[in-house]
Amino acid sequence: MERTLVLIKPDGVQRGLIGRIVQRFEDKGLEVVGMKMRQFPLALVQTHYSDHAERPFYKDLVAFMTSGPVVAIALQGNNAIEVTRGLMGTTNSAAAAPGTIRGDFGMSFSHNMVHGSDSPEAAAKELGLFFAEDGDLVDWKPCTRDEVYNAAEEL
Ligand code: IDP
Ligand code: MG
């Protein structure tokens, strides 16, 4: 199964959306295998967004992401990266489709409540930044897994 990193950004935490955002992922059948809340250090957030270092919004982005508490979540499932990005919606919340997290809860490009890894390489990098391999991630099998998936086809 694939793993991906989700961040609930400071706007999502401040607006009291942690529960409703996590609910979306649980409802879909994604499995939570790690979760921590921190005001993460600047160096970590800069490394996390290093691919965007040359973009005009980079400085504001890292300032925003270190301005308050963030919830980091490790999710697991078949095709978890793409499924998670689909649940999040497009980057600009105002244009994101209804039914997605950004489409249902937001109006902003930058205050768009959630981050999700966009490739297997990014997921590996980002999970490694936010979670220690030894101890921070939990290997477990939800008792619902054999119902969420058709084991004959998908597991
Ligand atoms: P993503 O979060 O949908 O993957 P990225 O292009 O990876 O979007 O950008 C990272 C984050 O930077 C976005 O989630 C958003 O918060 C911010 N961002 C991206 N593009 C813009 C922009 O044009 N204006 C303001 N903020 C932006
Ligand atoms: Mg991105």
Side-chain angles (χ1 to χ4, degrees):
M1 282 194 158
E2 191 170 68
R3 287 182 173 180
T4 189
L5 178 82
V6 165
L7 301 175
I8 303 178
K9 299 184 179 186
D11 57 322
V13 174
Q14 292 289 351
R15 292 177 54 198
L17 295 173
I18 296 171
R20 278 175 283 174
I21 290 171
V22 173
Q23 190 72 63
R24 300 272 173 133
F25 298 122
E26 287 190 319
D27 284 349
K28 180 66 174 167
L30 290 160
E31 301 171 5
V32 177
V33 294
M35 191 176 307
K36 64 167 69 164
M37 182 176 183
R38 297 269 193 290
Q39 188 157 357
F40 289 102
L42 180 66
L44 187 155
V45 173
Q46 286 173 328
T47 306
H48 169 70
Y49 279 122
S50 58
D51 283 355
H52 294 312
E54 305 307 321
R55 308 279 287 277
F57 57 83
Y58 175 74
K59 207 161 168 275
D60 289 344
L61 176 62
V62 296
F64 171 56
M65 292 297 290
T66 53
S67 68
V70 165
V71 179
I73 305 162
L75 293 177
Q76 176 171 280
N78 283 357
N79 209 14
I81 294 168
E82 193 181 321
V83 170
T84 295
R85 301 253 319 163
L87 291 175
M88 287 166 41
T90 53
T91 306
N92 182 359
S93 306
T100 65
I101 293 167
R102 288 165 170 170
D104 285 353
F105 292 123
M107 288 295 284
S108 170
F109 218 126
S110 50
H111 291 195
N112 57 5
M113 298 154 286
V114 281
H115 164 83
S117 310
D118 65 4
S119 68
E121 297 71 30
K125 170 195 159 183
E126 294 170 4
L127 286 166
L129 278 172
F130 286 88
F131 293 101
E133 198 137 325
D134 204 10
D136 275 352
L137 297 176
V138 184
D139 284 315
W140 67 297
K141 183 185 174 187
C143 58
T144 52
R145 187 186 289 167
D146 292 330
E147 307 302 332
V148 169
Y149 294 94
N150 178 346
E153 293 173 2
E154 292 141 4
L155 292 178

